């Protein structure tokens, strides 16, 4: 009995291959339908793979920059007021806490930062500014700053007490370059409760970019002592930014708990996911929505297999009748057509996944090429209608996206996509295959 079942499946397998590639009927309508279904699946897999790769790479790149350059892996904030202590005492107080938390083995770096807001004025304009008073060691010892911070002009360092390192966007807003001066305008509350303006001039020593404008658009880094002096009398935050071995590991919250034990009562520790909850949730929901849309496209493509199987069954009714008349079972015929549909799904995967991966690893070059074509055509049309100045289109505008998409290949997810596609192909093939298996030879012969 077991040998008969094995032979039956082998016969079904052989017949399924003949349905895909009939030796004598190369112009078969059913065969063209099956090839068309394979092509549709491959075509739908390409954008699915690209979207998954680009979305994962973009989210990972943006999250790494937010965590590494802005919120740190974790940040300990000073919760009480410092209005009545000197700048030196405040720095000493923060230095003691920094040295204390660095005793935790999983902490790879701890950096003092005092931040606030002000108005920045340059040669050509004004802009709101996020003041970040830090030490030089933030630029040289922090792995994230070394990896993600690109120096556009000058250097990321403070050579003088009035040096400033500013973001690319705010430099363009103010119209300044390295060597130019900017004025920071803040407000100070006096003992009598009066608010008076406070102005301090800084020399631009460097212009930097994180590759994601939303993070660095308002950055103005200044030396720690000068920044505290300028911000004293206004609202500002004092924190210790902490870098750990891995902010995304399973042991991260164990590290956070150990750090908490080293902090005093007037310090509050926040991990990165609490500081960036809204942005991270937004990225995750956007990715899920995009993948859901791509899944619907893939589902529609696999439904074409069902239509193709119907066409093949209609063409092969006489063959089915002959096979059943010589002993082929309903299950054997059904299995053959299910295998045929499954092979179509496998063919689509074998074509679509490599093409999708090829597009994914070259996605930056593809975007650059498309951007050039769009700008050339749009500029030509703009000149035809009498325009005077054309503003080029940026497909990857750094105000919303990373300037360059990091390439990240999610192999596990792609493997799930491959098996899911094959499984869907098998499922949609079931109904027409079962109907093919239930065909009655006698009724077919009567119609011939």
């Amino acid at each position: 009995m077991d040998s008969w079942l094995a032979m039956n499946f082998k016969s079904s397998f052989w017949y399924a291959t003949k349905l895909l590639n009939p030796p004598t009927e190369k112009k078969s309508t059913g065969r063209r339908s099956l090839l068309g279904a394979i092509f549709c699946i491959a075509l739908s897999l390409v954008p699915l793979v690209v979207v998954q790769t680009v979305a994962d790479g973009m989210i990972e790149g943006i999250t790494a920059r937010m965590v590494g350059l802005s919120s740190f892996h974790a940040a300990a904030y000073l919760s009480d007021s410092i209005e009545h202590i000197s700048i030196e005492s405040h720095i000493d107080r923060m230095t003691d806490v920094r040295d204390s938390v660095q005793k935790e083995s999983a902490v790879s770096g701890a950096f003092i930062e005092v931040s606030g807001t002000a108005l920045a004025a340059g040669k050509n304009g004004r802009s709101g500014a996020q003041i970040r008073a830090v030490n030089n060691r933030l630029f040289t010892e922090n792995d994230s700053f070394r990896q993600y911070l690109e120096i556009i002009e000058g250097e990321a360092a403070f050579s003088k007490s009035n040096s400033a390192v500013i973001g690319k966007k705010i430099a363009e807003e103010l119209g300044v370059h390295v060597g130019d001066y900017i004025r920071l305008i803040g407000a100070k509350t006096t003992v009598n409760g009066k608010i008076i303006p406070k102005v301090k001039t800084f020399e631009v020593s460097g212009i930097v970019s994180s590759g994601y404008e939303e993070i660095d658009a308002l950055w103005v880094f200044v030396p720690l002592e000068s920044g505290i002096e300028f911000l004293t009398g206004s609202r500002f935050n004092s924190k210790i930014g902490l870098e750990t071995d891995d902010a995304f590991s399973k042991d991260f919250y164990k590290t956070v708990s150990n750090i908490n034990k080293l902090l005093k009562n007037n310090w509050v520790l926040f991990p990165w996911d609490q500081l960036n909850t809204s942005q991270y949730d937004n990225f995750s929901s956007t990715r899920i929505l995009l993948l859901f849309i791509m899944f619907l496209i893939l589902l529609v493509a696999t439904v074409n297999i069902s239509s193709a199987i119907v066409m093949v069954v209609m063409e092969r009714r006489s063959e089915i009748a002959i096979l059943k008349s010589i002993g082929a079972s309903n299950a054997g015929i059904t299995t053959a057509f299910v295998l045929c549909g499954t092979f179509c799904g496998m063919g689509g995967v074998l074509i679509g996944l490599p093409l999708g991966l090829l597009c994914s690893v070259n996605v930056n070059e593809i975007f650059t090429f498309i951007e050039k074509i769009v700008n050339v055509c749009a500029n030509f049309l703009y000149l035809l209608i009498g325009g005077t100045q054309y503003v080029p289109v940026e497909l990857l505008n750094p105000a919303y996206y990373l300037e360059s998409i990091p390439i990240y290949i999610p192999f596990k997810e792609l493997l799930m996509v491959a098996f899911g596609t094959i499984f869907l192909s098998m499922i949609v093939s079931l109904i027409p295959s079962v109907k093919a298996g239930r065909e009655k030879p006698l009724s077919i012969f009567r119609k011939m």
Side-chain angles (χ1 to χ4, degrees):
M1 184 68 176
D2 292 339
S3 62
W4 181 85
L5 286 172
M7 184 176 178
N8 183 270
F9 179 80
K10 189 182 294 184
S11 301
S12 298
F13 184 90
W14 176 84
Y15 186 51
T17 60
K18 298 305 177 184
L19 291 173
L20 282 169
N21 187 29
T24 56
E25 301 177 30
K26 296 297 182 183
K27 295 183 179 181
S28 164
T29 303
R31 181 173 181 270
R32 286 199 296 265
S33 299
L34 292 173
L35 293 177
I38 294 172
F39 176 77
C40 287
I41 291 174
L43 198 62
S44 63
L45 278 174
V46 172
L48 177 62
V49 172
V50 172
V51 166
Q52 189 162 11
T53 304
V54 169
D56 285 358
M58 191 75 78
I59 290 172
E60 182 177 305
I62 293 174
T63 302
R65 284 163 174 79
M66 286 194 309
V67 173
L69 303 179
S70 183
S71 67
F72 297 94
H73 294 179
Y77 284 84
L78 182 62
S79 59
D80 62 351
S81 174
I82 62 161
E83 292 180 1
H84 304 296
I85 64 174
S86 66
I87 295 174
E88 292 78 11
S89 298
H90 183 52
I91 293 176
D92 290 341
R93 185 183 185 184
M94 297 184 73
T95 302
D96 289 341
V97 176
R98 182 198 67 190
D99 294 341
S100 176
V101 296
Q102 280 187 324
K103 295 176 182 178
E104 167 60 34
S105 59
V107 174
S108 57
F111 306 92
I112 296 172
E113 180 177 328
V114 175
S115 59
T117 57
L119 180 67
K123 294 189 297 185
N124 297 335
R126 296 181 179 184
S127 171
Q130 179 190 3
I131 311 302
R132 300 183 65 179
V134 298
N135 287 316
N136 260 326
R137 60 187 293 267
L138 179 70
F139 301 111
T140 57
E141 298 180 19
N142 187 297
D143 292 336
S144 297
F145 274 75
R146 290 202 302 266
Q147 181 178 357
Y148 298 119
L149 203 66
E150 178 188 359
I151 300 173
I152 307 299
E153 290 184 34
E155 59 178 353
F158 307 126
S159 56
K160 304 175 185 177
S161 62
N162 68 333
S163 295
V165 177
I166 66 177
K168 177 183 174 183
K169 178 64 176 178
I170 197 171
E172 294 172 353
E173 294 270 343
L174 303 180
V176 295
H177 297 275
V178 170
D180 294 335
Y181 288 87
I182 62 172
R183 296 189 310 279
L184 296 182
I185 306 167
K188 180 180 180 180
T189 304
T190 64
V191 178
N192 299 327
K194 293 183 178 180
I195 298 176
I196 59 175
K198 191 174 186 179
V199 181
K200 190 173 181 63
T201 301
F202 289 87
E203 181 183 355
V204 178
S205 62
I207 298 174
V208 297
S209 172
S210 68
Y212 183 50
E213 200 170 278
E214 187 173 326
I215 297 177
D216 62 34
L218 304 178
W219 276 355
V220 176
F221 292 97
V222 297
L224 184 62
E225 294 82 358
S226 301
I228 295 177
E229 180 186 355
F230 173 74
L231 291 169
T232 299
S234 61
R235 294 177 62 86
F236 64 89
N237 294 315
S238 300
K239 71 178 181 182
I240 308 294
L242 304 172
E243 293 286 303
T244 63
D245 295 336
D246 187 357
F248 306 97
S249 69
K250 295 179 180 178
D251 298 327
F252 175 68
Y253 273 93
K254 182 180 178 182
T255 301
V256 170
S257 177
N258 292 338
I259 295 170
N260 247 327
K261 296 175 183 176
L262 300 172
L263 294 174
K264 298 179 181 179
N265 293 332
N266 51 355
W267 288 86
V268 182
L269 185 67
F270 295 98
W272 69 268
D273 53 349
Q274 290 184 17
L275 294 169
N276 302 288
T277 300
S278 58
Q279 296 96 325
Y280 195 69
D281 288 346
N282 183 44
F283 294 149
S284 298
S285 59
T286 301
R287 177 179 178 273
I288 291 171
L289 180 61
L290 286 172
L291 290 177
F292 178 70
I293 294 171
M294 292 299 104
F295 170 76
L296 291 180
I297 295 173
L298 179 62
L299 183 61
V300 171
T302 55
V303 169
N304 288 331
I305 293 178
S306 181
S307 302
I309 296 293
V310 170
M311 293 293 298
V312 174
V313 171
M314 291 176 63
E315 279 191 348
R316 304 291 169 181
R317 292 188 74 196
S318 58
E319 287 184 4
I320 295 171
I322 294 170
L323 289 171
K324 296 192 76 171
S325 66
I326 60 175
S329 64
N330 291 357
I333 298 296
T334 299
T335 301
F337 283 96
V338 170
L339 286 173
C340 182
T342 305
F343 291 157
C344 287
M346 293 173 65
V349 167
L350 291 174
I351 297 171
L353 275 185
L355 284 177
L357 288 172
L358 183 64
C359 292
S360 297
V361 297
N362 295 288
V363 67
N364 289 299
E365 290 77 10
I366 293 172
F367 272 117
T368 301
F369 177 74
I370 294 174
E371 189 176 285
K372 288 180 180 178
I373 297 297
V374 169
N375 283 319
V376 168
C377 296
N379 190 30
F380 178 72
L381 293 174
Y382 192 74
L383 293 174
L384 282 180
I385 61 175
T388 55
Q389 186 176 5
Y390 171 71
V391 179
V393 174
E394 286 185 279
L395 294 181
L396 290 178
N397 191 327
Y400 310 103
Y401 309 102
L402 292 177
E403 292 177 356
S404 178
I405 300 173
I407 305 302
Y408 173 75
I409 308 298
F411 289 104
K412 289 183 179 178
E413 287 84 351
L414 292 180
L415 195 62
M416 290 175 62
V417 167
F419 281 112
T421 302
I422 296 170
F423 180 73
L424 278 175
S425 303
M426 182 179 69
I427 294 300
V428 298
S429 304
L430 282 175
I431 295 177
S433 299
V434 169
K435 289 184 177 179
R438 291 177 178 175
E439 290 279 3
K440 299 188 182 301
L442 190 58
S443 60
I444 294 173
F445 286 136
R446 283 175 180 171
K447 295 177 182 178
M448 291 177 61

